[in-house]
């Protein structure tokens, strides 16, 4: 469902009449809302358990599509933000906590990279199909199909085995036990993602003539490039090369940000810029997540650790979206919205 519709939602918001700065501020509001509802989610997680919370989060994700269809109306747009924020605040901390306790130290890089490869078919077919459905038949059919896939994901999640991620803490306990290093690293990743994961697909959509099919094909190409480089990074991490990788990957990320920010001035096709950027970004994923997962496991309470880390990511992403929107508005050049993401790279280098 995420591959089918999620990668295209930013483009859909632009088509609905929002400017790039306005769409980025909508995403900033979404991440702020995730922070705001997280405390309200905890009693629910405590009641239904971790397995039930994952299934519930996926199920709530189905409900985002009807209000998204009417996103031209600010009331429905706010309802979409509220629905997505509650669903994601329920799902993602449990997902990462499950990855922590079910994985093994020394194999984190391979596990994270293999997760990318396993999802390769979906990551390729989803954007291709989603772009075609949106372009040929409109959002009602595309979002309807995505909602069906989201609903189908609930059953296997509900049948998962027990997830031993520690007791469900209170919001205050998660803040007190927060790991400053892990939380700040994840906040920097959120800031980077605001540029590369949120702003860039919308910039790419505009550069490709606002054609959903072209964006879908480009996203599929990026998924293939990302899976290949992610495997390479994962193997290097497990062989003890994580520390050596950081400066190289950070330099490549920074170079990729600058190149994409210069889109329109450099003689490189947008699709090529996206594919190379996706390959570089996939190198970063196993490096960052292997560190966080190992630290979460050693904390003794994976879910409590991930709550604080996810809050850091949301804060970083919301501020990064505001920074990107500010640059896009001030300069009038959409691609320059990516430049603030370089600050996040500098923070983790």
């Amino acid at each position: 469902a995420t591959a089918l519709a999620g990668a295209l939602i930013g483009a859909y918001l632009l088509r609905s009449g929002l400017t790039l700065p306005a769409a980025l501020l909508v995403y900033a509001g979404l991440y702020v809302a995730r922070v705001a509802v997280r405390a309200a989610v905890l009693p629910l997680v405590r009641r239904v358990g971790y397995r039930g919370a994952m299934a519930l989060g996926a199920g709530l994700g189905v409900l985002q599509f009807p209000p998204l269809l009417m996103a031209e109306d600010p009331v429905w747009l706010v309802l979409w933000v509220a629905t997505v924020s509650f669903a994601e605040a329920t799902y993602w901390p449990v997902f990462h906590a499950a990855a922590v306790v079910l994985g093994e130290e020394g194999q984190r890089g391979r596990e994270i990279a293999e997760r990318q490869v396993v999802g390769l078919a979906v990551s390729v077919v989803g954007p291709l199909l989603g772009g075609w459905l949106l372009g040929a038949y409109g959002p009602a059919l595309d979002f309807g199909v995505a909602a069906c896939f989201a609903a189908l994901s609930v059953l296997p999640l509900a049948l998962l085995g027990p997830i031993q991620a520690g007791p469900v803490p209170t919001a205050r306990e998660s803040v007190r036990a927060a790991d400053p290093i892990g939380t700040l690293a994840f906040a920097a990743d959120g800031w980077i993602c605001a540029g590369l994961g949120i702003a860039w697909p919308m910039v790419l959509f505009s550069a490709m003539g606002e054609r959903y099919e072209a964006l879908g094909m480009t996203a599929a190409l990026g998924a293939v490039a990302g899976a290949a480089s992610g495997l390479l990074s994962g193997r290097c991490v497990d062989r003890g090369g994580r520390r050596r990788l950081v400066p190289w990957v950070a330099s490549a990320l920074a170079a990729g940000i600058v190149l994409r920010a210069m889109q329109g001035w450099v003689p490189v096709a947008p699709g090529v810029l996206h594919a190379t950027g996706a390959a570089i970004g996939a190198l970063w994923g196993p490096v960052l997540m292997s560190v966080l997962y190992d630290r979460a496991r050693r904390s003794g309470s994976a879910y409590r650790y991930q709550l604080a880390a996810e809050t850091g990511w949301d804060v970083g992403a919301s501020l990064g979206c505001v920074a990107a929107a500010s640059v896009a508005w001030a300069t009038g050049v959409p691609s320059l919205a990516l430049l603030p993401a370089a600050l996040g790279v500098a923070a983790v280098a």
Side-chain angles (χ1 to χ4, degrees):
T2 301
L4 192 68
L8 301 167
I9 286 177
Y12 173 73
L13 292 178
L14 294 183
R15 273 282 188 92
S16 298
L18 294 181
T19 63
L20 176 61
L24 287 167
L25 291 178
V26 168
Y27 274 100
L30 168 61
Y31 297 129
V32 170
R34 290 198 340 185
V35 175
V37 303
R38 192 158 280 126
V41 164
L42 294 177
L44 185 61
V45 176
R46 196 175 292 115
R47 183 175 184 84
V48 303
Y50 293 131
R51 179 176 55 188
M54 285 188 73
L56 180 62
L60 289 171
V62 177
L63 303 179
Q64 70 174 294
F65 295 107
L68 185 58
L69 284 171
M70 295 174 278
E72 297 92 343
D73 186 330
V75 174
W76 287 103
L77 186 59
V78 170
L79 182 58
W80 173 73
V81 167
T83 304
V84 174
S85 63
F86 200 87
E88 293 187 347
T90 304
Y91 178 85
W92 283 114
V94 182
F95 170 84
H96 287 300
V100 168
V101 298
L102 296 177
E104 296 184 19
E105 291 194 46
Q107 299 184 31
R108 297 287 189 194
R110 179 180 59 81
E111 290 169 355
I112 295 165
E114 286 179 352
R115 193 167 70 203
Q116 293 173 320
V117 173
V118 167
L120 177 60
V122 174
S123 299
V124 171
V125 174
L128 286 174
L129 179 59
W132 175 66
L133 288 175
L134 267 174
Y137 298 101
L141 182 58
D142 180 49
F143 294 162
V145 174
C148 290
F149 279 114
L152 289 172
S153 72
V154 173
L155 181 59
L157 290 172
L159 296 177
L160 285 174
I163 300 173
Q164 305 296 336
V168 178
T170 64
R172 181 174 298 178
E173 287 170 345
S174 70
V175 171
R176 286 177 175 173
D179 171 22
I181 293 176
T183 302
L184 289 174
F186 220 23
D189 184 64
W191 180 283
I192 295 168
C193 187
L196 300 184
I198 305 300
W200 171 245
M202 291 189 278
V203 172
L204 194 60
F205 181 63
S206 298
M208 292 183 158
E210 296 195 349
R211 291 180 296 125
Y212 290 120
E213 298 91 340
L215 182 60
M217 285 189 288
T218 303
L221 177 63
V224 175
S229 65
L231 272 178
L232 176 65
S233 176
R235 290 177 179 175
C236 187
V237 166
D238 291 340
R239 291 172 180 170
R242 182 166 59 197
R243 190 177 296 276
R244 294 193 301 273
L245 265 181
V246 170
W248 292 101
V249 174
S251 299
L253 272 176
I257 289 169
V258 172
L259 275 176
R260 279 181 277 190
M262 297 298 107
Q263 185 272 322
W265 293 300
V266 294
V268 182
V272 175
L273 286 175
H274 179 73
T276 54
I280 293 168
L283 292 173
W284 171 242
V287 173
L288 173 68
M289 297 311 299
S290 62
V291 172
L292 290 179
Y293 285 177
D294 285 348
R295 295 177 76 91
R297 185 156 194 157
R298 290 194 292 269
S299 74
S301 180
Y303 183 69
R304 183 185 64 199
Y305 185 98
Q306 288 301 146
L307 277 176
E310 285 283 328
T311 299
W313 194 96
D314 289 340
V315 171
S318 62
L319 293 175
C321 284
V322 171
S326 300
V327 172
W329 173 80
T331 64
V333 181
S335 63
L336 294 184
L338 275 73
L339 284 180
L343 297 176
V345 177
V348 297

